[in-house]
Amino acid sequence: LAKTTQPISMDSYEGQEVNITCSHNNIATNDYITWYQQFPSQGPRFIIQGYKTKVTNEVASLFIPADRKSSTLSLPRVSLSDTAVYYCPPQEALIFGKGTTLSVSS
Amino acid sequence: EAQVTQNPRYLITVTGKKLTVTCSQNMNHEYMSWYRQDPGLGLRQIYYSMNVEVTDKGDVPEGYKVSRKEKRNFPLILESPSPNQTSLYFCASWPQGEGGHEQFFGPGTRLTVL
């Protein structure tokens, strides 16, 4: 059964780059890796998705090594508004778990 | 606009009074799911549906029922609510198919059972 593991919390300051790593145990060959962001009292929203190597959009970058056993979400120059919970759920299991709570301070 | 809607957004009720939380999506998605979110416990799946008339239990199905009579709707039914079902509920939908998919979430329903 696919399962992901990520840190419970991270702290950062405005303007810094933040990297959140997720371990993807037993990831299936055809599964994509997807990250979501959730603000308090709102539903999670899609940030970025990839299968391998690097993907970049206007919000973040996603790095996936060749063995696909982990992924790293990179948020460049975070601001206070990036304070949220970030999830990397397994595709097949659709279990979000507790995610990583990112706190950005000024 | 592509969206998932939930109603009501807020609900206060009493123990044992049956209630239904509606969920509707306008993206013709095959999959739909209900989650509950509690402090310190993250998002936990209650039930999910793979298509019309096809549903299955998630992690925490006890005390809940669902139905999928139409593709766009996936109501969550609490036949005899109890205080431990006080929570924030989210509905989500996503398409079937190979490759990656994105789950679209509703705005949430905050339920309080007294």
Side-chain angles (χ1 to χ4, degrees), chain A residues 2-83:
Chain A
K3 181 182 176 183
T4 60
T5 305
Q6 55 184 124
I8 292 295
S9 64
M10 294 183 69
D11 296 314
S12 182
Y13 291 97
E14 284 189 293
Q16 290 188 332
E17 178 184 68
V18 171
N19 295 309
I20 306 174
T21 297
C22 180
S23 295
H24 299 268
N25 298 317
N26 301 319
I27 186 170
T29 302
N30 296 329
D31 282 358
Y32 279 62
I33 292 172
T34 308
W35 283 80
Y36 294 82
Q37 175 191 56
Q38 185 183 27
F39 298 112
S41 298
Q42 294 184 25
R45 68 172 187 139
F46 171 92
I47 302 178
I48 196 166
Q49 183 180 84
Y51 184 77
K52 59 181 177 181
T53 65
K54 177 184 175 181
V55 179
T56 298
N57 62 22
E58 65 278 5
V59 177
S61 294
L62 179 60
F63 300 90
I64 303 170
D67 65 8
R68 297 189 353 107
K69 292 184 183 301
S70 67
S71 67
T72 299
L73 175 72
S74 181
L75 304 172
R77 299 179 298 282
V78 294
S79 65
L80 297 176
S81 63
D82 292 314
T83 293

Side-chain angles (χ1 to χ4, degrees), chain B residues 78-89:
Chain B
L78 285 72
E79 299 222 329
S80 185
S82 62
N84 64 12
Q85 292 178 297
T86 292
S87 187
L88 179 59
Y89 292 86

Side-chain angles (χ1 to χ4, degrees), chain A residues 85-96:
Chain A
V85 180
Y86 294 84
Y87 301 91
C88 57
Q91 180 167 321
E92 63 180 65
L94 306 173
I95 298 171
F96 277 69

Side-chain angles (χ1 to χ4, degrees), chain B residues 20-102:
Chain B
T20 299
V21 184
T22 65
C23 173
S24 183
Q25 51 97 1
N26 62 2
M27 295 165 280
N28 202 37
H29 287 166
E30 287 76 19
Y31 285 83
M32 298 186 74
S33 178
W34 277 102
Y35 297 89
R36 63 177 289 174
Q37 187 168 38
D38 304 289
L41 297 178
L43 274 166
R44 296 179 294 169
Q45 190 179 60
I46 303 170
Y47 270 95
Y48 67 98
S49 170
M50 292 151 280
N51 214 320
V52 175
E53 303 291 1
V54 183
T55 62
D56 205 352
K57 297 177 180 179
D59 296 331
V60 288
E62 293 77 23
Y64 304 94
K65 286 177 59 177
V66 293
S67 69
R68 188 92 182 272
K69 293 184 171 57
E70 304 167 285
K71 198 172 187 179
R72 65 183 292 124
N73 298 321
F74 190 45
L76 179 69
I77 303 158
L78 285 72
E79 299 222 329
S80 185
S82 62
N84 64 12
Q85 292 178 297
T86 292
S87 187
L88 179 59
Y89 292 86
F90 291 103
C91 180
S93 73
W94 63 98
Q96 188 178 22
E98 293 188 3
H101 60 253
E102 171 190 347

